[in-house]
């Protein structure tokens, strides 16, 4: 089994993507910066038989999630990965409350 580094989308702004990478590395998580078409984070696991799974994580605050549902942009996250074998979508809600 091969575990690829977590890819943090270079377009992440809060906190900045390089800071997210540093945080993950401090937690002993292999991580790198990269451009992702969909999601904020991607983690790929490849099995010995060549099969793989990928986790695509979209991180949102509750207010941001509501705005994305209203304007339809959340559909992009859902539509572009729907039906792709081995792809798991994760919606991570963050907040203080």
């Amino acid at each position: 089994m091969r575990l690829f580094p977590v890819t943090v989308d270079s377009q992440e702004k809060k906190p900045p993507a390089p800071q997210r990478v540093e945080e993950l590395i401090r937690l002993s998580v292999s991580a790198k910066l990269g451009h992702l078409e969909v999601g904020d984070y991607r983690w790929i696991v490849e099995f010995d038989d060549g099969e793989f799974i990928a986790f695509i994580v979209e991180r949102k605050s509750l207010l941001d999630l509501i705005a994305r549902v209203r304007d339809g942009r959340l559909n992009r996250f859902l539509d572009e990965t729907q039906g792709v074998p081995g792809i798991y979508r994760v919606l991570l809600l963050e907040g203080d409350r």
Side-chain angles (χ1 to χ4, degrees), residues 21-96:
V21 170
E22 290 172 12
E23 289 173 359
L24 289 168
I25 291 171
R26 272 195 304 273
L27 294 168
S28 299
V29 175
S30 178
K32 67 178 186 172
L33 202 56
H35 176 72
L36 299 178
E37 292 293 327
V38 177
D40 298 319
Y41 304 93
R42 179 183 63 212
W43 184 52
I44 298 173
V45 179
E46 182 179 16
F47 297 99
D48 295 334
D49 62 2
E51 295 290 319
F52 75 93
I53 57 173
F55 298 91
I56 309 295
V57 180
E58 183 72 27
R59 186 177 55 87
K60 296 283 176 220
S61 69
L62 183 57
L63 292 176
D64 193 23
L65 175 64
I66 291 168
R68 298 299 171 256
V69 168
R70 284 184 179 156
D71 68 15
R73 286 192 280 170
L74 186 64
N75 290 341
R76 180 171 173 244
F77 169 67
L78 300 172
D79 291 346
E80 291 190 12
T81 57
Q82 184 175 6
V84 179
I87 301 290
Y88 294 87
R89 301 170 292 194
V90 178
L91 182 59
L92 176 65
L93 293 178
E94 294 187 319
D96 296 334

